[in-house]
Amino acid sequence: MHASSLSRRAVLAGTAAAATAVSLPMLQGRAQAAAPAGAGYRWRNVAQGGTGFITGVLFHPSVRGLAYARTDIGGAYRWDDRTDRWIPLTDHLGWDDWNLLGVEAMAVDPAHPNRLYLALGTYTQSWAGNGAVLRSEDRGATWKRTDLTVKLGANEDGRGCGERLLVDPRDSDTLWLGTRHDGLLKSTDRGATWKAVGFPATPGATGQGVTLLVAAGRSVYAGWGDSDGTSANLYRTADGTTWKAVPGQPAGTAAKVPVRAAYDRHTRELYVTYANAPGPNGQSDGSVHKLRTTTGKWTEVTPVKPGGATSDGGTDSFGYGGVAVDARRPGTVVVSTNNRWSLVDTLYRTTDGGRTWTSLKDKAVLDVSETPYLTWGADKPKFGWWIQAVGLDPFDSKHIVYGTGATLYGTRDLKNWAPQIRGLEEASIRHLISPPTGEAHLISGSGDIGVMYHERLTASPSRGMASNPVFGTATGLALAAAKPSYVVRAGWGDHGNGAHSDDGGKTWAPFKAQPDVAKSAPGPIATNADGSVLLWSFGASNPGYRSADNGGTWSEVASFPKGAVPVADPVDPAVFYAFDTTTGTLFASTDTGRTFTARATGLNSGDTEFQLAVAPGRSGDLWLSLKGNGLYRSTDGGASFTKVGSCRASYTLGFGKAPEGASYPALYMVGSTGTSTAVHRSDDEAKTWTRINDDQHQWGWIGATIAGDPRVHGRVYIATNGRGVQYGEPA
């Protein structure tokens, strides 16, 4: 199981342009930044235990216990050594700033421990906004921001390279920022303003540009990722003005892309890891070299050269990724392999400057009891994959951490390893269910790790991820309203794409059969009120399918609108609903999904994104979120809809326990009632709304799904696109 199969990490093709920020299609009609909150709420992460790609980790060189981590879509974090937890630093970024939740690079100032810099920007495509630099004088507690005129790509190929941001070793007021398409930028006022500087390499089509910046003494080195493998890919400036190619640098496929670099100040040697592609995917060759900066002599110190045969007759192909030097012991270095699927990635450690190496994986003991999902349904976890972030504590030579596609492992004795991930939650959540009964108050479905059963909100699920079958990305999750012990799920997997549970989501069994299209286009799934019928959708090019025998057999439903999301009536087992975005028509079935007929029409929002929800315990009480076109309600099963006047825009809507003395469920909405897009609650059927999040808790784009708890009034669960599940309760 690995994150490369996940749709949320797909890198979209295109050429960057220095243009005004443009929203994604699903974000049309977004509002201005959120206003101050109107109700006090306490917000916390539901504990999953990581689950996302850690792209960088950085120990502060002069402060014991101070470290930072970055992710590709889930922001940045500071390590709190007193509590052994990561503290999120970018949750204040709101709806309009969704593209800034990806952290391209980070930098600290060795001479000023409280200073921290982040380079933000998730995509370089034309529809994504420009990047920004955040700068802090208090370790990320508060920020000042500079918007850039260029784009950054924290969730594109090469996102594990770096760091691309650096404080100049000669002058703490000077910073360097490497970009993918716009060369090298320089700031002389601690990141407040930036200007392009002359750089001898020309950006190419690969979208890598400057892959790393590292200080070596008083010089700065820059890696270049757009080389063809024969031209220079490592440059140096000794005066902060003139950049020149480093003489004698390695060439060839195995040294095509400089991925990471680290400087040993004791031996004055610069260690550089290389690969034939930027990663994290696509690497099949690589090498490690060191440069003695005082003489210009290069030496290859590759631990194991890729390309050897494996026991199963395959080829041991991989690249090299992370590198860290020991600040206390000269010649002690750790490097990582990356994209090594056959023999599994490892860390190599040397204590003699690269003459000999030891694989730390060979004697490693992995303890994932705190995050059981890391077994991925197998007997034991793998040492790692997508290892491009490696950190070595400058105050403890045996404290090493490395990032993977799902967690951050750490050791303090070079043998025993465990996730060092508390507080760092990076997942793109797609589905949420809060059951009305049972042990768990929450079941979640996400990209990366499929479905989780949260028997506790404060600890990673003891059962890990649903494992029969294992899914990568979950595409559907539903329970039978009148029989909540029955739950169904759908998703991307290699051994089946649908499953059912008879114990509320604790254990699962795969469907005995599935439509042929399920493997290539698994979509949302629904079950009717009593769990006797399943309805499964498979994208805009395929019909829906129905099963009345728990997934044993399936029949095509020709009248089901292609690509629609099936929604079951919570009271009447015979009734299903579906909204066709292409025509703006609400369809309904009264024969348990065998046939669908049109009801209300003319509801098209001009957007393919919408959400249809049915109030629990009420037949035919429908709520339709049409994004920037507002919120609509039907009390006659979709025959007619009325626009809700209190709501200007509605992106996702859910229900929770009614307040004391009321009979109608509480409504929770991500949307706007005036000028701000925020999280709201209504206790009077949407007549009035109260904002319940605040400016420090916004989490970028949160338009996927929201669910109130049917057992606890005021508790709400929010799906984020990179910060996992957030849950709030009245303070």
Side-chain angles (χ1 to χ4, degrees), residues 27-52:
L27 301 182
Q28 290 175 353
R30 62 189 181 182
Q32 300 173 1
Y41 255 64
R42 180 185 181 188
W43 293 96
R44 288 168 286 184
N45 258 117
V46 173
Q48 290 178 288
T51 78

Side-chain angles (χ1 to χ4, degrees), residues 59 324-326 329 332-335 346-351 357-367 383 390-393 395-402 409-418 420:
F59 282 98
V325 300
D326 192 329
R329 298 182 179 184
T332 298
V333 185
V334 177
V335 300
T346 186
L347 299 185
Y348 287 106
R349 181 175 182 262
T350 179
T351 58
W357 296 86
T358 300
S359 171
L360 297 182
K361 177 187 69 177
D362 295 347
K363 295 183 178 181
V365 177
L366 294 178
D367 178 4
F383 189 77
V390 176
L392 204 165
D393 191 334
F395 296 91
D396 183 353
S397 297
K398 293 185 177 181
H399 182 198
I400 300 171
V401 296
Y402 66 93
Y409 281 112
T411 184
R412 292 187 183 270
D413 61 8
L414 305 183
K415 179 182 178 180
N416 295 288
W417 300 79
Q420 193 172 329

Side-chain angles (χ1 to χ4, degrees), residues 5 76 84 87 99 202 257 269 316 344 458 470 482 537 583 622-623:
S5 66
D84 287 340
I87 307 300
N99 191 53
T202 302
V257 178
E269 291 173 321
D316 184 23
V344 182
T458 56
V470 170
S537 179
T583 62
L622 307 179
W623 296 77

Side-chain angles (χ1 to χ4, degrees), residues 164-179:
R164 290 175 164 96
L165 184 63
L166 180 72
V167 176
D168 191 281
R170 295 168 170 260
D171 178 11
S172 289
D173 289 345
T174 298
L175 277 76
W176 301 91
L177 174 60
T179 73

